[in-house]
Amino acid sequence: MWMKTLEKLSRGSSAPSRKIGRLLIASLLVASCLLLWNNFKTSFNQSRLLASFRQSKSSPQPPLPHSCNATTETIERYQLTRPVQFLRREIIASRSSSDLKFSEPLDAPLFDYRSANLTAQLLGEQTLDACSHPLTVPVPTPPAQVDASHIDFGVATTYDRLYESLDQFAHWAGNSNARIFALIEPHGGHHTMMNKAQSLGIHLHIVESDIEYNARYFSLLKLLEENALEETEWSCIIDDDTFFLSMPALVKRLDQYDSSKPLYIGGLSESVAQIAVFGIMGFGGAGVFVSRPLLDQLSEVFAECQAMEGTGDKKISQCIYQHTSTKFIDDQGLRQLDLMDDASGFFEAGREQPLSVHHWKSWYQADMIKLATISKICGDTCLLRQWRFSDDWILTNGYSIVKRSREIAPGTMERTWTYHNGAVLESYFHALGPLEDIDPGKISYRMEDSIIEEDGRVRQFYIHRDDVEGDRVIELVWRSE
């Protein structure tokens, strides 16, 4: 359209009109050239940027740099969807002599908004610069390391799953003098496994057996009895995904029981529907503890009990009920966690730290190894500890950062999980009540990574995924006071 107008001007009857038309054409040609040149530069810079992204993706991942902004390395490592909002805060763990609640209010906001960084804007990111003004949170003085040589653990699994599980065992069993006896299928060549266990401070003993899994599970009782030492007080059967959050806490709890008597201690399922299927018993994933006197009694009827049918943990309960007068003790700290899909309501409830959790990499996802990394800064008592900030954000340490859309009564747990085996809300009252329905308006950042720096600091990455509006990241950098 504008070219036709200029052509009419250039063909005008008067000389001035033709002169004006030629000047306008020349001006527009110059403007067009400048526009093309700017487009070329923009396209060239974008190509270089894309090339750098592809190069960083294909090359080995370097350590993440410290930055107030969303770096290319961070975007690529966590496959973040643009535009990315990024916030980095430093947290100082200050040991307190006060009697701290497990869920503590803080008179400080979590978010401290600053001006957006121009470089980040050019990359298409929305970044909040909040590297100044570190936050200080009170933490209890962690307990001293304990000697757990009086506890033996038994696990029936495969070679590969055992090798993978050593990293999680290291958190609670490493350098504790507790022994772990693993009954695995025939494999051979345990040199690599034993080297890893030794490097992690785990006292591991491996025995091979080709019998059926449930029979192999029950055989752990015989294996533990045959290898019991004079100081052995407790034998515990676990699954390969049983995770104890604190060995000092576990030893302290067991000290409350009289191990000189026949005792059978464990955790029930959180679901009545599961209990209806399996009965009143110690569910194996929570950890099944048998005192030394009861273990000796069971060894005398081992062959008869081995012939029983049923799952391994159910067979243990049947053997105890049928051949002894010992009854089951439900310890509320030992958690089977029969919660499907989303267990965030359990972890974010701000209640007392559980002794054990289970199903964390199958029924729901919660990387307990990464969650436990923060213990390097503030000890085991810091795991899942909760702080409620003045801007209504809630940090559950190692698990999530959330902001609720409505108030929730103290001690009430949000029912986030999916019902299983015909369960209904009331199925969970006995173990987890009081409960309330899921909060659909809750904003949640879930921790996806935790890194220990060479200087001893711990970096946690909490991410809110949003494929439409872009991902949001909160990086917490922890250090001791």
mmCIF file of all heavy atoms in Angstrom, residues 41-56 72 75-76 82 119-125:
data_model
loop_
_atom_site.group_PDB
_atom_site.id
_atom_site.type_symbol
_atom_site.label_atom_id
_atom_site.label_comp_id
_atom_site.label_asym_id
_atom_site.label_seq_id
_atom_site.Cartn_x
_atom_site.Cartn_y
_atom_site.Cartn_z
ATOM 1 N N LYS A 41 20.886 -9.273 13.063
ATOM 2 C CA LYS A 41 21.648 -9.354 14.317
ATOM 3 C C LYS A 41 20.867 -10.124 15.364
ATOM 4 O O LYS A 41 21.426 -10.955 16.091
ATOM 5 C CB LYS A 41 21.966 -7.942 14.845
ATOM 6 C CG LYS A 41 23.006 -7.204 14.049
ATOM 7 C CD LYS A 41 23.595 -6.041 14.841
ATOM 8 C CE LYS A 41 22.505 -5.052 15.192
ATOM 9 N NZ LYS A 41 23.025 -3.903 15.968
ATOM 10 N N THR A 42 19.564 -9.844 15.496
ATOM 11 C CA THR A 42 18.740 -10.557 16.480
ATOM 12 C C THR A 42 18.714 -12.046 16.203
ATOM 13 O O THR A 42 18.878 -12.879 17.094
ATOM 14 C CB THR A 42 17.305 -10.006 16.457
ATOM 15 O OG1 THR A 42 17.348 -8.621 16.756
ATOM 16 C CG2 THR A 42 16.431 -10.737 17.477
ATOM 17 N N SER A 43 18.533 -12.392 14.918
ATOM 18 C CA SER A 43 18.493 -13.811 14.542
ATOM 19 C C SER A 43 19.826 -14.481 14.813
ATOM 20 O O SER A 43 19.894 -15.617 15.293
ATOM 21 C CB SER A 43 18.122 -13.934 13.061
ATOM 22 O OG SER A 43 18.156 -15.271 12.653
ATOM 23 N N PHE A 44 20.926 -13.735 14.530
ATOM 24 C CA PHE A 44 22.257 -14.302 14.748
ATOM 25 C C PHE A 44 22.507 -14.555 16.232
ATOM 26 O O PHE A 44 23.004 -15.612 16.630
ATOM 27 C CB PHE A 44 23.300 -13.341 14.193
ATOM 28 C CG PHE A 44 24.728 -13.798 14.409
ATOM 29 C CD1 PHE A 44 25.263 -14.849 13.667
ATOM 30 C CD2 PHE A 44 25.524 -13.179 15.361
ATOM 31 C CE1 PHE A 44 26.563 -15.275 13.883
ATOM 32 C CE2 PHE A 44 26.827 -13.607 15.569
ATOM 33 C CZ PHE A 44 27.347 -14.652 14.821
ATOM 34 N N ASN A 45 22.116 -13.565 17.068
ATOM 35 C CA ASN A 45 22.305 -13.722 18.514
ATOM 36 C C ASN A 45 21.462 -14.859 19.066
ATOM 37 O O ASN A 45 21.887 -15.621 19.932
ATOM 38 C CB ASN A 45 21.949 -12.419 19.233
ATOM 39 C CG ASN A 45 22.984 -11.328 18.997
ATOM 40 O OD1 ASN A 45 24.141 -11.626 18.731
ATOM 41 N ND2 ASN A 45 22.543 -10.072 19.078
ATOM 42 N N GLN A 46 20.214 -14.989 18.565
ATOM 43 C CA GLN A 46 19.371 -16.092 19.009
ATOM 44 C C GLN A 46 19.964 -17.432 18.610
ATOM 45 O O GLN A 46 19.905 -18.405 19.364
ATOM 46 C CB GLN A 46 17.966 -15.939 18.425
ATOM 47 C CG GLN A 46 17.172 -14.808 19.052
ATOM 48 C CD GLN A 46 15.818 -14.629 18.403
ATOM 49 O OE1 GLN A 46 15.583 -15.134 17.299
ATOM 50 N NE2 GLN A 46 14.935 -13.902 19.071
ATOM 51 N N SER A 47 20.549 -17.492 17.416
ATOM 52 C CA SER A 47 21.178 -18.741 16.965
ATOM 53 C C SER A 47 22.347 -19.110 17.855
ATOM 54 O O SER A 47 22.546 -20.270 18.212
ATOM 55 C CB SER A 47 21.649 -18.601 15.508
ATOM 56 O OG SER A 47 20.562 -18.345 14.656
ATOM 57 N N ARG A 48 23.148 -18.075 18.215
ATOM 58 C CA ARG A 48 24.268 -18.349 19.120
ATOM 59 C C ARG A 48 23.767 -18.814 20.478
ATOM 60 O O ARG A 48 24.341 -19.712 21.092
ATOM 61 C CB ARG A 48 25.122 -17.081 19.297
ATOM 62 C CG ARG A 48 25.940 -16.727 18.085
ATOM 63 C CD ARG A 48 27.095 -15.817 18.452
ATOM 64 N NE ARG A 48 26.613 -14.647 19.171
ATOM 65 C CZ ARG A 48 27.421 -13.749 19.722
ATOM 66 N NH1 ARG A 48 28.716 -13.900 19.680
ATOM 67 N NH2 ARG A 48 26.901 -12.696 20.352
ATOM 68 N N LEU A 49 22.674 -18.204 20.969
ATOM 69 C CA LEU A 49 22.114 -18.597 22.259
ATOM 70 C C LEU A 49 21.613 -20.035 22.220
ATOM 71 O O LEU A 49 21.891 -20.835 23.124
ATOM 72 C CB LEU A 49 20.976 -17.658 22.636
ATOM 73 C CG LEU A 49 20.286 -17.891 23.978
ATOM 74 C CD1 LEU A 49 21.293 -17.742 25.111
ATOM 75 C CD2 LEU A 49 19.122 -16.935 24.161
ATOM 76 N N LEU A 50 20.891 -20.381 21.152
ATOM 77 C CA LEU A 50 20.399 -21.746 21.009
ATOM 78 C C LEU A 50 21.544 -22.732 20.905
ATOM 79 O O LEU A 50 21.500 -23.840 21.452
ATOM 80 C CB LEU A 50 19.498 -21.855 19.775
ATOM 81 C CG LEU A 50 18.134 -21.165 19.889
ATOM 82 C CD1 LEU A 50 17.417 -21.183 18.544
ATOM 83 C CD2 LEU A 50 17.284 -21.849 20.937
ATOM 84 N N ALA A 51 22.584 -22.333 20.187
ATOM 85 C CA ALA A 51 23.741 -23.223 20.051
ATOM 86 C C ALA A 51 24.394 -23.473 21.402
ATOM 87 O O ALA A 51 24.814 -24.589 21.712
ATOM 88 C CB ALA A 51 24.756 -22.616 19.082
ATOM 89 N N SER A 52 24.472 -22.406 22.213
ATOM 90 C CA SER A 52 25.076 -22.585 23.548
ATOM 91 C C SER A 52 24.232 -23.503 24.399
ATOM 92 O O SER A 52 24.742 -24.300 25.181
ATOM 93 C CB SER A 52 25.240 -21.222 24.230
ATOM 94 O OG SER A 52 23.975 -20.669 24.538
ATOM 95 N N PHE A 53 22.898 -23.425 24.268
ATOM 96 C CA PHE A 53 22.013 -24.314 25.019
ATOM 97 C C PHE A 53 22.223 -25.755 24.583
ATOM 98 O O PHE A 53 22.306 -26.664 25.401
ATOM 99 C CB PHE A 53 20.544 -23.920 24.804
ATOM 100 C CG PHE A 53 20.062 -22.886 25.761
ATOM 101 C CD1 PHE A 53 20.111 -21.544 25.437
ATOM 102 C CD2 PHE A 53 19.581 -23.250 27.000
ATOM 103 C CE1 PHE A 53 19.667 -20.591 26.323
ATOM 104 C CE2 PHE A 53 19.137 -22.298 27.905
ATOM 105 C CZ PHE A 53 19.179 -20.964 27.560
ATOM 106 N N ARG A 54 22.314 -25.990 23.267
ATOM 107 C CA ARG A 54 22.503 -27.354 22.770
ATOM 108 C C ARG A 54 23.843 -27.909 23.220
ATOM 109 O O ARG A 54 23.973 -29.078 23.578
ATOM 110 C CB ARG A 54 22.421 -27.361 21.243
ATOM 111 C CG ARG A 54 21.040 -27.011 20.691
ATOM 112 C CD ARG A 54 20.958 -27.276 19.200
ATOM 113 N NE ARG A 54 19.698 -26.838 18.643
ATOM 114 C CZ ARG A 54 19.531 -25.686 17.976
ATOM 115 N NH1 ARG A 54 20.575 -24.887 17.788
ATOM 116 N NH2 ARG A 54 18.356 -25.355 17.498
ATOM 117 N N GLN A 55 24.870 -27.034 23.218
ATOM 118 C CA GLN A 55 26.198 -27.481 23.633
ATOM 119 C C GLN A 55 26.210 -27.863 25.099
ATOM 120 O O GLN A 55 26.767 -28.900 25.489
ATOM 121 C CB GLN A 55 27.213 -26.371 23.373
ATOM 122 C CG GLN A 55 28.658 -26.787 23.723
ATOM 123 C CD GLN A 55 29.639 -25.681 23.407
ATOM 124 O OE1 GLN A 55 29.246 -24.573 23.066
ATOM 125 N NE2 GLN A 55 30.904 -25.975 23.515
ATOM 126 N N SER A 56 25.555 -27.028 25.933
ATOM 127 C CA SER A 56 25.525 -27.334 27.365
ATOM 128 C C SER A 56 24.727 -28.588 27.639
ATOM 129 O O SER A 56 24.974 -29.305 28.592
ATOM 130 C CB SER A 56 24.936 -26.150 28.140
ATOM 131 O OG SER A 56 23.576 -25.967 27.804
ATOM 132 N N THR A 72 21.905 -20.665 32.684
ATOM 133 C CA THR A 72 21.693 -21.648 31.618
ATOM 134 C C THR A 72 21.850 -23.064 32.147
ATOM 135 O O THR A 72 21.079 -23.962 31.809
ATOM 136 C CB THR A 72 22.710 -21.407 30.473
ATOM 137 O OG1 THR A 72 22.507 -20.105 29.940
ATOM 138 C CG2 THR A 72 22.534 -22.445 29.380
ATOM 139 N N ILE A 75 18.733 -24.108 34.092
ATOM 140 C CA ILE A 75 17.607 -24.335 33.183
ATOM 141 C C ILE A 75 17.727 -25.686 32.497
ATOM 142 O O ILE A 75 16.759 -26.445 32.390
ATOM 143 C CB ILE A 75 17.523 -23.197 32.150
ATOM 144 C CG1 ILE A 75 17.167 -21.884 32.847
ATOM 145 C CG2 ILE A 75 16.487 -23.521 31.069
ATOM 146 C CD1 ILE A 75 17.266 -20.667 31.956
ATOM 147 N N GLU A 76 18.927 -25.990 32.039
ATOM 148 C CA GLU A 76 19.143 -27.241 31.313
ATOM 149 C C GLU A 76 19.106 -28.455 32.235
ATOM 150 O O GLU A 76 18.528 -29.489 31.900
ATOM 151 C CB GLU A 76 20.488 -27.187 30.569
ATOM 152 C CG GLU A 76 20.448 -26.314 29.324
ATOM 153 C CD GLU A 76 19.472 -26.859 28.302
ATOM 154 O OE1 GLU A 76 19.693 -27.961 27.784
ATOM 155 O OE2 GLU A 76 18.467 -26.192 28.030
ATOM 156 N N ARG A 82 10.200 -22.371 30.020
ATOM 157 C CA ARG A 82 10.268 -20.908 30.031
ATOM 158 C C ARG A 82 8.882 -20.284 29.924
ATOM 159 O O ARG A 82 7.995 -20.902 29.356
ATOM 160 C CB ARG A 82 11.142 -20.445 28.867
ATOM 161 C CG ARG A 82 12.597 -20.855 29.023
ATOM 162 C CD ARG A 82 13.326 -20.643 27.705
ATOM 163 N NE ARG A 82 14.723 -20.903 27.916
ATOM 164 C CZ ARG A 82 15.683 -19.971 27.900
ATOM 165 N NH1 ARG A 82 15.379 -18.732 27.660
ATOM 166 N NH2 ARG A 82 16.927 -20.300 28.102
ATOM 167 N N THR A 119 19.884 -8.929 32.089
ATOM 168 C CA THR A 119 20.389 -10.055 31.317
ATOM 169 C C THR A 119 19.398 -11.208 31.327
ATOM 170 O O THR A 119 19.157 -11.850 30.309
ATOM 171 C CB THR A 119 21.735 -10.536 31.880
ATOM 172 O OG1 THR A 119 22.647 -9.441 31.881
ATOM 173 C CG2 THR A 119 22.296 -11.675 31.050
ATOM 174 N N ALA A 120 18.810 -11.454 32.470
ATOM 175 C CA ALA A 120 17.829 -12.526 32.558
ATOM 176 C C ALA A 120 16.607 -12.209 31.692
ATOM 177 O O ALA A 120 16.022 -13.088 31.073
ATOM 178 C CB ALA A 120 17.396 -12.739 34.002
ATOM 179 N N GLN A 121 16.227 -10.906 31.624
ATOM 180 C CA GLN A 121 15.100 -10.538 30.790
ATOM 181 C C GLN A 121 15.401 -10.814 29.323
ATOM 182 O O GLN A 121 14.544 -11.267 28.568
ATOM 183 C CB GLN A 121 14.768 -9.063 30.989
ATOM 184 C CG GLN A 121 14.047 -8.755 32.302
ATOM 185 C CD GLN A 121 13.675 -7.301 32.410
ATOM 186 O OE1 GLN A 121 14.371 -6.437 31.901
ATOM 187 N NE2 GLN A 121 12.580 -7.018 33.079
ATOM 188 N N LEU A 122 16.614 -10.527 28.898
ATOM 189 C CA LEU A 122 16.993 -10.796 27.513
ATOM 190 C C LEU A 122 16.949 -12.279 27.198
ATOM 191 O O LEU A 122 16.714 -12.682 26.063
ATOM 192 C CB LEU A 122 18.396 -10.238 27.233
ATOM 193 C CG LEU A 122 18.498 -8.706 27.272
ATOM 194 C CD1 LEU A 122 19.947 -8.279 27.113
ATOM 195 C CD2 LEU A 122 17.645 -8.086 26.177
ATOM 196 N N LEU A 123 17.173 -13.120 28.212
ATOM 197 C CA LEU A 123 17.097 -14.566 28.022
ATOM 198 C C LEU A 123 15.655 -15.064 28.110
ATOM 199 O O LEU A 123 15.402 -16.250 27.964
ATOM 200 C CB LEU A 123 17.939 -15.287 29.088
ATOM 201 C CG LEU A 123 19.453 -15.234 28.899
ATOM 202 C CD1 LEU A 123 20.148 -15.778 30.138
ATOM 203 C CD2 LEU A 123 19.870 -16.027 27.684
ATOM 204 N N GLY A 124 14.738 -14.174 28.362
ATOM 205 C CA GLY A 124 13.342 -14.572 28.443
ATOM 206 C C GLY A 124 12.943 -15.050 29.823
ATOM 207 O O GLY A 124 11.950 -15.731 29.995
ATOM 208 N N GLU A 125 13.731 -14.704 30.854
ATOM 209 C CA GLU A 125 13.436 -15.161 32.207
ATOM 210 C C GLU A 125 12.926 -13.993 33.045
ATOM 211 O O GLU A 125 13.239 -12.832 32.796
ATOM 212 C CB GLU A 125 14.687 -15.746 32.874
ATOM 213 C CG GLU A 125 15.483 -16.691 31.998
ATOM 214 C CD GLU A 125 14.659 -17.818 31.429
ATOM 215 O OE1 GLU A 125 13.628 -18.169 32.023
ATOM 216 O OE2 GLU A 125 15.027 -18.329 30.377
#
